[in-house]
Amino acid sequence: MAYTWRRLSKDPLALVGMATIAAISIAALSAPWIAPFDPREQFFDGLTLEGAPLPPDEMFFLGTDLLGRDLFSRLLYGARTSLVIGVVANGAAVAVGTLLGIVAGYVQGWVGAAIMRFTDLMMAFPALLLAIALAAIFTPSLWIVAMVIALVNWVQIARVIYTETTALAAREYIEAARALGAAWPRILFLHILPHLIPTILVWATLGIATTVLLEATLSFLGIGVQPPTPSWGGIIFESQSYFLSAPWLVFFPGIAIMVMALAFNLVGDALRDALDPTQRGR
Amino acid sequence: MKPSPIERIIGLAMSAAVLMSPAVAAEEAKRGGSIVVSYKDDIATLDPAIGYDWQNPSMMQLIGDGLMGYKMGTTDLVPDLAESFTISEDGLTYSFALRKGVKFHNGRELKSADVKYTFERLVNPETQSPGQGYYAVIEGFDEMVSGADGLSGVTTPDDYTVIIKLTRPNAVFLNVLAMHFSSIVPKEEVEKYGADWGRNPVGTGAYKITEWTLGQRIVFERNPDYQHGTGPENVPYLDKITWEVGQDPSVALLRLKKGEVDILGDGIPPAQFVEAVENPEFNERGMIVENPMIQTSYVTMNVRIPPFDNVLVRKAVNMAINKDRIVRLINNRAVPATQPLPPNMPGHDGSYEGYAYDPAKAKELLAEAGFPDGFETELWSMNTDPNPRIAQAIQQDLAQVGIKAELHSVASSVVIAAGGEAEQAPMIWSGGMAWISDYPDPSGFYWSILGCGGAVPGGWNWAWYCNEDVEVKAAKADAMADPALAQERVDLWRSIYLEIMEDAPWVPLFHSRYFTMRSARMAGDAVLYVSPTYIPMHYEYLHAKDAQ
Amino acid sequence: MLRYLARRLAASALILIGVSVITFGLTFLIPADPVRMIAGRSASPQAVENIRHQLGLDKPIPVQYMNYVTKLVQGDLGRSYVQKAEVSRLIESRLPATLLLMAGAIFFEILIGLPAGILAATRRGRLLDRAVMIFSFAGVSTPQFVLGLLLLYVFANLLGWFPLSGFGTLSHLILPALTLGIAGGGWYSRMMRSSMIEVLHHDYIRTARAKGLSGPKVVLVHGLRNAILPVIAMVGLDIGIFMSGAVVVESVFGWPGIGQLAWLAIQRIDIPIIMGVTLVAAVAIVIGNLLADLTAPLIDPRIRLR
């Protein structure tokens, strides 16, 4: 671990990524103290007489949205939505994917085959269409959106874990443990799982980027987290009709989404390099 | 039976006609020319028994004609395929004398059997017509719906006479006959195309379909045999109308500026709305057209779900919502509403002020109702812009008086399903699914959406409001089929809606104004582009300035 | 090889059956009633039940599914509830636009990804390499709708080089294809870079260099030929991503493809269209995956198809 950390700390891109994640997390946690306004308050003078949003000025640092709310405050609170869904949805996807991947890879036989055929099936689903259909079935709340994303995202993780587990299970020391009569849960959790931790860590990080993007996309289509909960994708959905005259309403949240996804991608990629000895130098 | 001259029917002509701008000066309008109309979505179908959306009714009315029609730009009913008609004294028997020599596009003459076939086809459950319910007053309807072979109430003593018998007098039956559903269709063509009939429509109308390329365009050309128009001699004016579909509204606007498109079928896109209506060049050249729609957007409160079973709570909600601010949110493309009927509908009471915005009074009423600290509820809305925004504005207004409404912003089909369940959706914002009247009559805003018949599982009366007293009055009003009682009937409807407002099952929020754009070469009054009777446009009267 | 192909095709058929079962089941879980949407506002309860009966929607779901599959096998995708037109014709009228968009996107992915990857590999560890890698990460980290709106704002609205949106000419295609292509280009450049680095380490390249062949030529002739194979395999996998991404990009650019058709159908619960589009997308994904797997042994002779 210390070795990994040393390698990470030498990678400037990873450092930038980690600093960004830290900054966003701090901003999200301290939003109630640093946000100038309540993100839900619709100011009567936050709109022009024609109903147009206000451009950035001294009162509203980044301007107002189409309901006369302070955009900066909404962006700060929106970070919470992205982070919570990113961590929860991806955590669930990693947990489900790891569990199914390990079981399929270790047990093999018809159970393993059934699980893997099911992942094949899920891979053939157009992911976004599936997410849209699921969002239509369950009225989307924060947790439902997280669940929908987890249901779509676990598949790839399951496949990666499956491949690695299969390779590990064939190794001699596992065979030895089995020959010694170790129970299979013991083998799975004591002998196989620890070796999968690097892979899981990498996916737990990279997956957050994918999750943040998927959440933003669902919100952009109007089927994400329910309003008035601030969400970056949702701000863009609501502002689209003013896109040409007030492009900042689209670009500020757009940049926020990109920066967060980029930060997790950079750290995840650096982690992969740092954890994988064969990848050294790539 | 007593003869009813056409003049008496025009007595039905409602005060709304006064509000409509006068007709285009006919002498200026020349025949000829062709235009292009843009739409984003495909035209769903041109089967007059099936099509029922924003785009296709007036297209189907170009292809086909009904027994009745409307005088241009007004809500005055006039005979169309009928030459004349009589209504029996008891209001139950309608006799129509058909015009002779009217030909379908395939060359065959229209006969009374076609009229009978058309109505039987509409009522036949296998047709799955969304308009079926409008014909329920015809004798033999129930029998045919449960499997009888024909519609006994429609008889054809000879080739040019049609007699329709009703089971109860109905003041709007002539309006129903002017709806696109009632366009007369030739049996042989319907049967020839089977399920694809909706793509190969044939009628007696002013235009024939000459091209339909799915996902790209539909072209109509003038029917040279068309002679039975209800307007001036040279109507219709245009030789050719092309609808180009798959056109994004903002692209369509650019193309309109370049002269490639003549009318924006979907209206001015919100992203360019303020810019477009303030553009001096557009205004100078008369390119912006605007007209109120016969439309009301409202919030329903389900009177079966506490605390909305308490009229004080419903009144409080009416006072808590700031309609002016919501109208501003949608760039003033609407006028605030005080009652279910829009201002351009006979029966609207201009002197009624409704519930003024007064949060303090609303809080008092809530306290009186036993909710001094408000309560928690749900507000459902459709999930396309601007509806979630409007729902959030309503939510904030409700929060000011202590009502915490959780938003459910979902697909329209899900909202409609929830509204049709007795105890599911306490409040629904109707935007995007709102009521556009099928015909210009005050009864159009009652039966399905406020009447007891709509307050059934799967119905459209999302407030589940059912007031027996009101229901009796409404039935009485709609039985006043004698044209001489027209004014009395409108007065009765006016009092009905005011009585409903006393029960406050809705918060009427606004009536939309429709804005669209036309190219500088297009002429004619705004009412042609946002027609109250030919939705959305009265194509037959559109004309181009540069026509030769 | 033939046996492998036969087995893969059989597996693909099973996958498609699975996709159809799940999609069919999901549409029935949507808390809305398609019959209400068809019947209209004035329909009596009896009229509604009549329509339900005629469409066979009153039968148990497994029976409905079997009826659907029976028709499907005969090549009949059914008729849209709302538009009444044959679903196959609706898809047929939309599919060319989506395929065109995909072709454009693949073009841009390769155009951006390959040169960037090669440059980065040959300048490994230097500033240019770093820059390419950061840009490729930025590309994959930007949501497609944000990128699409950005391109629209700059190149269509401010500069006026391209139309705002729509369909028809080559200039309409460029921005939406570029939107999909930039994200894909990010992945391609990373793949290209690593496979290039590997190839450049191989003996034959060293030999070629030793023989005095110049740098760029070695890279292009020997390196590219070997490094390009993984990229081809990736195109196959991309098809699935595009089939999903189409919903967003088509809505931003007003592109009349099957993504828009699917989106509208979901809103109106037009089940035959939802089924049809999902199946078409799944077929495309299955074919793409198959192509990717078939090229695998060409890339790495150690992989054998079993």
Side-chain angles (χ1 to χ4, degrees):
Chain A
M1 215 56 216
Y3 169 73
T4 307
W5 176 249
R6 215 165 48 237
R7 290 196 55 181
L8 268 189
S9 61
K10 275 193 203 144
D11 184 340
L13 289 184
L15 288 177
V16 170
M18 285 188 286
T20 310
I21 294 171
I24 293 175
S25 305
I26 290 168
L29 283 174
S30 54
W33 296 280
I34 48 180
F37 300 101
D38 178 346
R40 297 180 183 210
E41 184 166 4
Q42 304 166 21
F43 292 95
F44 191 79
D45 45 9
L47 291 174
T48 67
L49 281 178
E50 293 83 31
L54 301 180
D57 61 18
E58 352 25 295
M59 177 143 171
F60 302 108
F61 171 53
L62 292 180
T64 59
D65 74 356
L66 296 195
L67 277 159
R69 296 174 296 203
D70 180 46
L71 181 62
F72 180 59
S73 305
R74 284 189 77 70
L75 283 178
L76 278 177
Y77 278 88
R80 297 180 149 202
T81 309
S82 284
L83 278 177
V84 168
I85 290 188
V87 171
V88 171
N90 191 52
V94 167
V96 171
T98 305
L99 186 69
L100 291 180
I102 285 191
V103 171
Y106 183 74
V107 178
Q108 300 278 352
W110 69 268
V111 177
I115 293 175
M116 289 327 287
R117 292 299 80 76
F118 186 62
T119 61
D120 285 345
L121 202 166
M122 294 297 290
M123 292 281 281
F125 249 107
L128 193 58
L129 282 186
L130 181 62
I132 291 172
L134 289 172
I137 294 170
F138 312 104
T139 301
S141 69
L142 191 77
W143 305 113
I144 295 280
V145 171
M147 190 200 74
V148 164
I149 293 175
L151 276 176
V152 172
N153 274 2
W154 63 269
V155 189
Q156 279 209 310
I157 301 159
R159 290 177 75 95
V160 172
I161 297 287
Y162 168 79
T163 316
E164 296 210 357
T165 310
T166 320
L168 284 171
R171 291 214 190 144
E172 281 149 19
Y173 72 96
I174 301 285
E175 306 241 331
R178 212 179 289 160
L180 288 173
W184 66 268
R186 194 182 155 83
I187 299 180
L188 273 191
F189 289 101
L190 282 185
H191 297 292
I192 294 187
L193 194 60
H195 293 274
L196 294 172
I197 283 177
T199 311
I200 295 173
L201 261 181
V202 168
W203 278 91
T205 318
L206 288 176
I208 290 181
T210 322
T211 307
V212 166
L213 293 179
L214 189 53
E215 184 273 322
T217 304
L218 290 178
S219 294
F220 170 73
L221 291 172
I223 51 174
V225 178
Q226 286 289 314
T229 308
S231 136
W232 292 341
I235 296 173
I236 299 178
F237 163 71
E238 284 179 356
S239 310
Q240 247 190 322
S241 62
Y242 266 86
F243 162 56
L244 291 180
S245 40
W248 62 86
L249 282 172
V250 167
F251 293 137
F252 287 145
I255 289 166
I257 299 166
M258 196 202 90
V259 167
M260 189 187 274
L262 182 59
F264 280 103
N265 267 332
L266 286 177
V267 175
D269 190 61
L271 254 181
R272 172 164 41 204
D273 286 353
L275 289 168
D276 184 353
T278 66
Q279 291 275 313
R280 196 166 297 168
R282 281 244 182 139
Chain B
M1 273 199 257
K2 72 173 190 211
S4 172
I6 291 157
E7 282 78 4
R8 298 227 13 220
I9 295 304
I10 292 173
L12 265 178
M14 294 149 222
S15 48
V18 182
L19 286 155
M20 307 295 165
S21 328
V24 197
E27 61 275 11
E28 279 179 24
K30 288 204 193 81
R31 257 198 178 193
S34 58
I35 62 165
V36 175
V37 182
S38 69
Y39 273 122
K40 179 170 182 291
D41 292 332
D42 255 327
I43 305 298
T45 170
L46 290 177
D47 177 351
I50 301 294
Y52 195 25
D53 59 32
W54 163 251
Q55 299 171 318
N56 55 16
S58 62
M59 292 175 73
M60 294 183 285
Q61 281 162 321
L62 288 183
I63 299 267
D65 302 298
L67 294 173
M68 301 296 294
Y70 292 98
K71 209 170 142 191
M72 197 277 295
T74 72
T75 51
D76 304 355
L77 281 158
V78 287
D80 193 348
L81 286 179
E83 198 165 46
S84 62
F85 63 92
T86 59
I87 305 175
S88 68
E89 203 140 354
D90 60 6
L92 292 179
T93 308
Y94 288 64
S95 315
F96 296 89
L98 297 186
R99 279 173 205 269
K100 291 188 175 130
V102 173
K103 290 206 172 84
F104 286 113
H105 298 158
N106 64 6
R108 184 173 69 72
E109 193 188 0
L110 170 108
K111 299 271 177 66
S112 56
D114 296 308
V115 178
K116 184 169 166 65
Y117 170 72
T118 299
F119 290 129
E120 287 180 346
R121 180 169 179 265
L122 281 165
V123 176
N124 187 343
E126 278 179 28
T127 312
Q128 299 178 13
S129 171
Q132 190 201 38
Y134 289 108
Y135 303 88
V137 287
I138 300 179
E139 218 177 83
F141 176 89
D142 293 337
E143 290 80 352
M144 186 161 185
V145 167
S146 10
D149 221 15
L151 193 56
S152 59
V154 182
T155 48
T156 53
D158 63 54
D159 275 355
Y160 300 100
T161 308
V162 178
I163 296 172
I164 303 178
K165 284 208 164 78
L166 307 187
T167 48
R168 54 183 186 271
N170 187 302
V172 294
F173 188 63
L174 289 177
N175 291 97
V176 169
L177 294 184
M179 284 177 79
H180 70 270
F181 291 124
S182 305
S183 293
I184 309 301
V185 296
K187 183 180 182 184
E188 69 274 16
E189 299 286 337
V190 176
E191 286 176 353
K192 183 165 119 198
Y193 289 106
D196 281 322
W197 153 250
R199 310 235 147 232
N200 300 277
V202 173
T204 57
Y207 288 87
K208 293 180 183 184
I209 183 164
T210 53
E211 185 196 337
W212 186 336
T213 311
L214 212 58
Q216 290 182 35
R217 77 180 68 76
I218 296 185
V219 182
F220 282 11
E221 281 176 37
R222 185 216 302 277
N223 170 12
D225 297 332
Y226 181 77
Q227 285 165 343
H228 53 276
T230 51
E233 186 101 337
N234 52 351
V235 166
Y237 299 112
L238 296 164
D239 287 338
K240 188 167 136 186
I241 307 174
T242 304
W243 289 266
E244 295 195 359
V245 299
Q247 300 285 318
D248 184 82
S250 17
V251 187
L253 193 141
L254 287 178
R255 295 189 58 204
L256 184 133
K257 285 190 207 166
K258 283 195 211 158
E260 296 171 6
V261 164
D262 294 297
I263 301 171
L264 302 184
D266 296 308
I268 303 175
Q272 282 116 316
F273 178 75
V274 177
E275 193 189 331
V277 292
E278 287 175 357
N279 184 321
E281 190 204 327
F282 293 168
N283 283 300
E284 216 167 89
R285 302 172 72 190
M287 290 163 71
I288 307 280
V289 274
E290 183 262 320
N291 214 39
M293 288 160 57
I294 304 193
Q295 187 270 357
T296 306
S297 295
Y298 46 86
V299 178
T300 60
M301 288 169 276
N302 189 327
V303 300
R304 298 210 186 166
I305 300 180
F308 294 114
D309 53 348
N310 187 332
V311 66
L312 291 175
V313 172
R314 301 199 297 265
K315 285 186 177 174
V317 170
N318 263 283
M319 293 173 187
I321 297 176
N322 185 345
K323 298 169 187 173
D324 291 324
R325 182 166 184 278
I326 290 171
V327 165
R328 193 200 276 193
L329 281 181
I330 54 165
N331 313 115
N332 308 315
R333 278 176 293 168
V335 289
T338 56
Q339 54 198 300
L341 288 186
N344 49 4
M345 177 70 92
H348 173 89
D349 188 339
S351 61
Y352 176 70
E353 287 178 1
Y355 299 95
Y357 174 57
D358 189 347
K361 185 81 194 297
K363 284 202 84 150
E364 276 172 34
L365 284 182
L366 281 179
E368 199 185 323
F371 300 96
D373 303 319
F375 53 88
E376 287 182 14
T377 185
E378 291 170 8
L379 172 62
W380 291 59
S381 90
M382 184 180 166
N383 62 2
T384 52
D385 193 69
N387 299 306
R389 274 196 281 138
I390 293 172
Q392 288 177 72
I394 297 170
Q395 182 189 39
Q396 162 152 313
D397 285 341
L398 293 178
Q400 303 268 320
V401 297
I403 302 173
K404 286 177 222 44
E406 187 194 333
L407 294 190
H408 284 244
S409 159
V410 289
S412 58
S413 54
V414 178
V415 181
I416 289 166
E421 296 280 331
E423 302 200 336
Q424 191 169 355
M427 300 178 88
I428 298 178
W429 158 238
S430 78
M433 303 162 289
W435 199 253
I436 297 176
S437 184
D438 286 314
Y439 39 75
D441 186 89
S443 66
F445 280 77
Y446 179 75
W447 295 105
S448 303
I449 47 178
L450 283 164
C452 297
V456 292
W460 288 73
N461 182 346
W462 299 336
W464 290 81
Y465 172 72
C466 175
N467 181 332
E468 296 296 344
D469 177 46
V470 166
E471 189 84 356
V472 168
K473 285 185 187 160
K476 187 178 157 213
D478 268 10
M480 295 161 91
D482 185 347
L485 298 173
Q487 192 51 48
E488 198 181 318
R489 178 171 173 270
V490 167
D491 291 342
L492 183 53
W493 271 116
R494 182 178 299 116
S495 70
I496 288 171
Y497 285 109
L498 295 187
E499 194 175 334
I500 291 172
M501 282 313 290
E502 276 309 300
D503 289 334
W506 286 7
V507 184
L509 261 186
F510 58 67
H511 310 292
S512 295
R513 291 155 74 202
Y514 184 69
F515 286 80
T516 192
M517 264 181 85
R518 60 178 179 192
S519 60
R521 61 186 277 261
M522 296 303 297
D525 236 71
V527 71
L528 297 177
Y529 297 83
V530 192
S531 167
T533 48
Y534 293 88
I535 293 167
M537 271 173 263
H538 205 157
Y539 292 109
E540 292 179 43
Y541 286 83
L542 298 180
H543 57 274
K545 289 175 192 160
D546 52 3
Q548 297 303 315
Chain C
M1 181 68 194
L2 273 178
R3 273 187 58 197
Y4 170 80
L5 202 62
R7 252 200 26 210
R8 277 302 301 264
L9 286 177
S12 303
L14 279 179
I15 286 176
L16 290 179
I17 292 174
V19 168
S20 70
V21 170
I22 293 181
T23 314
F24 204 77
L26 284 179
T27 55
F28 284 91
L29 289 177
I30 297 178
D33 181 357
V35 180
R36 288 276 154 205
M37 307 299 289
I38 304 165
R41 301 174 290 209
S42 65
S44 64
Q46 194 187 356
V48 170
E49 288 321 304
N50 271 326
I51 294 178
R52 197 183 305 286
H53 179 68
Q54 276 169 44
L55 292 174
L57 293 172
D58 53 349
K59 299 204 174 76
I61 293 175
V63 176
Q64 289 186 43
Y65 176 74
M66 283 320 292
N67 290 344
Y68 180 82
V69 170
T70 312
K71 283 191 174 170
L72 185 67
V73 173
Q74 297 158 14
D76 182 1
L77 283 170
R79 279 178 185 272
S80 152
Y81 289 161
V82 180
Q83 301 194 32
K84 308 285 175 196
E86 286 171 23
V87 171
S88 52
R89 283 184 60 186
L90 289 171
I91 291 179
E92 214 177 279
S93 73
R94 298 277 188 155
L95 199 57
T98 298
L99 291 179
L100 184 67
L101 182 59
M102 278 168 61
I106 291 172
F107 172 79
F108 278 117
E109 282 180 339
I110 291 175
L111 190 75
I112 297 168
L114 297 203
I118 294 170
L119 274 180
T122 50
R123 306 274 189 291
R124 200 170 135 211
R126 297 201 216 150
L127 194 64
L128 187 71
D129 181 22
R130 280 274 150 95
V132 167
M133 286 303 97
I134 290 178
F135 272 107
S136 77
F137 265 128
V140 300
S141 304
T142 311
Q144 283 167 353
F145 57 94
V146 172
L147 187 59
L149 290 169
L150 179 74
L151 293 177
L152 268 183
Y153 188 73
V154 176
F155 294 104
N157 188 51
L158 290 186
L159 299 174
W161 293 354
F162 298 102
L164 263 179
S165 55
F167 175 71
T169 67
L170 192 65
S171 62
H172 286 106
L173 174 63
I174 290 176
L175 292 184
L178 196 57
T179 304
L180 283 170
I182 284 179
W187 292 119
Y188 277 53
S189 63
R190 296 176 54 73
M191 279 222 32
M192 193 66 205
R193 175 178 176 270
S194 49
S195 88
M196 211 51 199
I197 286 174
E198 194 169 318
V199 167
L200 290 175
H201 272 107
H202 279 307
D203 290 344
Y204 59 91
I205 297 272
R206 294 195 183 151
T207 317
R209 280 215 169 118
K211 279 198 222 150
L213 287 173
S214 68
K217 204 174 171 191
V218 170
V219 169
L220 285 178
V221 175
H222 294 281
L224 195 57
R225 202 171 57 204
N226 293 287
I228 206 165
L229 284 166
V231 172
I232 293 173
M234 204 153 159
V235 170
L237 297 175
D238 266 350
I239 292 172
I241 298 167
F242 289 147
M243 277 289 165
S244 280
V247 178
V248 173
V249 173
E250 287 178 6
S251 102
V252 169
F253 289 94
W255 191 262
I258 61 166
Q260 294 228 44
L261 185 68
W263 174 238
L264 256 176
I266 290 176
Q267 293 270 327
R268 296 170 175 169
I269 48 167
D270 200 333
I271 295 171
I273 298 186
I274 301 176
M275 288 295 295
V277 173
T278 313
L279 282 177
V280 166
V283 167
I285 294 170
V286 165
I287 292 176
N289 287 348
L290 194 58
L291 285 181
D293 288 352
L294 287 179
T295 46
L298 303 174
I299 299 159
D300 186 347
R302 282 167 298 176
I303 297 176
R304 263 201 267 132
L305 299 176
R306 277 172 292 147

